């Protein structure tokens, strides 16, 4: 085995890198962050970081989003994200959009942990598969984010002659009020149809995804992967873009992204290797994303700061929501009063 490992290493350039962590545990990761040598952290995140915010998952029987879209007679659940199906039947997707649209959910502990990494100058970038914009609500800005599968934050007209951008407020009122039923994507290009900037199956990822990853991942010195099954490409392949010496921390309910058997056997790079006798940089912390982030924050001495940030930011969101509801109620009251006045004059 040693001979074969050496042969493959020389031939394919897959030599294991230097061991940076003093132990393959969350404690080891925390000590590495606190050492001062870890300065460029990249986070890769998926749907699992938002479930505690109340955003339902996709496949849970009875409560999952797919289960509640059966009235649209989807040929298969994933059709809702297929671009060809959307062009003919946009209604199911926009029904899903109403479930997920920003403004209905608060960021989680995990979102604010990434915000804390940013505030401390440690976050190079967050690469997200999510479209719910909770990273932005938590305080990450456009430059901090690669929204690999698109976002609700922006939308535009699909006509190549137009490409007009629509505001989030306009989109929110249109999507949540079910006005999308008045539009038909299949009429394109004869009518202007707006389109959320979401990446469907069959579409290319944003160009910025590819250009930025080439700059970010070679200089990454800690990769934190949270709440993703690492099943969807090319996003999943990003774990292989860091150097062979870069530690990789997975915070997830189960292990994922592991090496193929042959590569793991010979101790080479590629997928994650948590358990073989050749493991040297990958750490799996099996828990919810919120619990994992809070545990890491505690080891870093940041727990109280993180708890205070979550409390403060949630209070600000609640206050803003209350003011918005009061404003809408006042506008509705004035509108009702005006209509009543017209009726009195008519009589």
């Amino acid at each position: 085995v040693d001979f074969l490992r050496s042969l493959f290493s020389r031939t394919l350039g897959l030599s294991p890198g230097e061991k940076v962590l003093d132990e393959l545990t969350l404690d080891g990761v925390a000590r590495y962050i606190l050492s001062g040598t870890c300065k460029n952290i990249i986070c890769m995140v998926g749907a699992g970081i938002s479930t505690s915010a109340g955003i339902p998952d996709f496949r849970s029987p009875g409560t999952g989003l797919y289960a509640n879209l059966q009235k649209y007679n989807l040929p298969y659940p994933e059709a809702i994200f297929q671009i060809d199906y959307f062009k003919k039947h946009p209604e199911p997707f926009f029904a899903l959009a109403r479930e997920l649209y920003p403004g209905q959910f608060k960021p989680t502990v995990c979102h604010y942990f990434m915000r804390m990494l940013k505030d401390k100058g440690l976050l190079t970038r967050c690469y997200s598969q999510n479209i719910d914009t909770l990273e932005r609500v938590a305080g990450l800005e456009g430059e901090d984010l690669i929204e690999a599968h698109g976002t609700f934050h922006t939308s535009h007209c699909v006509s190549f002659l137009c490409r007009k951008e629509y505001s989030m407020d306009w989109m929110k009122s249109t999507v949540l009020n079910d006005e999308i039923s008045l539009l038909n994507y299949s009429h394109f290009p004869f009518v202007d149809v707006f389109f959320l900037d979401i990446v469907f199956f069959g579409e290319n990822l944003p160009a910025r995804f590819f250009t930025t990853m080439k700059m970010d991942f070679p200089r990454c010195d800690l990769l934190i992967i949270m709440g993703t099954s690492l099943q969807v490409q090319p996003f999943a392949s990003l774990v292989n873009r860091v150097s062979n010496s870069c530690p990789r921390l997975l915070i997830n309910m189960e292990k994922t992204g592991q090496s193929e058997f042959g590569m793991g056997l010979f101790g080479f790079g590629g997928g994650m290797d948590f358990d073989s006798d050749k493991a040297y940089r990958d750490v799996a912390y099996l828990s919810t994303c919120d619990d994992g982030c809070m545990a890491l924050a505690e080891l870093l001495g940041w727990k109280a700061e993180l708890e205070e940030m979550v409390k403060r930011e949630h209070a600000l969101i609640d206050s803003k929501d209350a003011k918005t509801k009061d404003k809408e109620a006042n506008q509705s009251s004035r509108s009702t009063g005006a209509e009543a006045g017209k009726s009195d004059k008519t009589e």
Side-chain angles (χ1 to χ4, degrees), residues 296-309:
L296 180 54
E298 183 171 17
L299 292 170
L300 293 167
W302 303 349
K303 182 178 180 181
E305 185 180 353
L306 179 57
E307 289 175 333
E308 177 57 30
M309 176 182 285

Side-chain angles (χ1 to χ4, degrees), residues 227-280:
T228 173
S229 62
L230 293 177
Q231 295 297 312
V232 179
Q233 298 291 355
F235 186 88
S237 66
L238 291 178
V239 300
N240 303 323
R241 289 276 177 174
V242 296
S243 72
N244 286 347
S245 297
C246 178
R248 301 180 293 192
L249 168 64
L250 174 71
I251 300 177
N252 209 37
M253 293 299 291
E254 59 186 8
K255 294 177 182 177
T256 189
Q258 290 161 284
S259 303
E260 296 296 328
F261 173 75
M263 302 300 273
L265 176 65
F266 295 119
F268 295 137
M272 313 285 277
D273 179 9
F274 304 111
D275 303 312
S276 82
D277 60 352
K278 300 300 179 183
Y280 70 98

Side-chain angles (χ1 to χ4, degrees), residues 70-106:
Q70 291 311 304
K71 63 182 178 180
Y72 293 105
N73 297 315
L74 296 171
Y76 49 92
E78 291 78 9
I80 198 170
F81 290 119
Q82 294 284 353
I83 187 61
D84 290 338
Y85 186 83
F86 174 81
K87 290 179 179 180
K88 297 177 181 178
H89 308 285
E91 297 86 358
F93 173 77
F94 282 103
L96 173 62
R98 285 189 288 277
E99 295 281 347
L100 297 178
Y101 208 76
Q104 305 177 79
F105 308 98
K106 299 175 187 175

Side-chain angles (χ1 to χ4, degrees), residues 85-283:
Y85 186 83
F86 174 81
K87 290 179 179 180
K88 297 177 181 178
H89 308 285
E91 297 86 358
F93 173 77
F94 282 103
L96 173 62
R98 285 189 288 277
E99 295 281 347
L100 297 178
Y101 208 76
Q104 305 177 79
F105 308 98
K106 299 175 187 175
T108 67
V109 168
C110 183
H111 290 98
Y112 287 115
F113 179 78
M114 292 190 293
R115 156 78 179 279
M116 186 170 289
L117 290 176
K118 167 186 163 68
D119 291 348
K120 294 181 180 296
L122 295 173
L123 182 69
T124 295
R125 207 93 58 194
C126 169
Y127 285 71
S128 177
Q129 293 176 285
N130 300 334
I131 60 176
D132 54 37
T133 76
L134 288 182
E135 296 94 350
R136 291 177 181 264
V137 178
L140 298 189
E141 300 176 359
E143 183 59 28
D144 305 315
L145 283 166
I146 297 295
E147 292 156 319
H149 295 167
T151 176
F152 281 126
H153 187 70
T154 55
S155 56
H156 64 274
C157 173
V158 297
S159 170
F160 66 90
L161 297 176
C162 177
R163 304 300 294 176
K164 176 183 177 181
E165 288 195 7
Y166 290 85
S167 70
M168 181 177 287
D169 289 340
W170 185 88
M171 281 297 302
K172 181 178 179 180
S173 63
T174 301
V175 172
L176 296 185
N177 290 336
D178 204 18
E179 293 177 17
I180 187 60
S181 61
L182 301 175
L183 303 174
N184 189 337
Y185 191 102
S186 63
H187 291 167
F188 167 75
F190 302 108
V191 297
D192 287 345
V193 179
F194 70 83
F195 184 38
L196 295 163
D197 289 339
I198 307 301
V199 178
F200 281 70
F201 293 131
E203 291 190 306
N204 292 326
L205 270 61
R208 185 166 172 261
F209 171 87
F210 297 99
T211 57
T212 307
M213 75 176 186
K214 293 177 182 178
M215 174 179 63
D216 288 345
F217 280 79
R219 63 191 184 97
C220 175
D221 46 33
L222 175 62
L223 181 63
I224 302 179
I225 305 137
M226 298 183 283
T228 173
S229 62
L230 293 177
Q231 295 297 312
V232 179
Q233 298 291 355
F235 186 88
S237 66
L238 291 178
V239 300
N240 303 323
R241 289 276 177 174
V242 296
S243 72
N244 286 347
S245 297
C246 178
R248 301 180 293 192
L249 168 64
L250 174 71
I251 300 177
N252 209 37
M253 293 299 291
E254 59 186 8
K255 294 177 182 177
T256 189
Q258 290 161 284
S259 303
E260 296 296 328
F261 173 75
M263 302 300 273
L265 176 65
F266 295 119
F268 295 137
M272 313 285 277
D273 179 9
F274 304 111
D275 303 312
S276 82
D277 60 352
K278 300 300 179 183
Y280 70 98
R281 61 164 172 165
D282 295 329
V283 177

Side-chain angles (χ1 to χ4, degrees), residues 331-341:
Q331 290 175 340
S332 177
S333 177
R334 286 196 298 270
S335 176
T336 302
E339 291 298 323

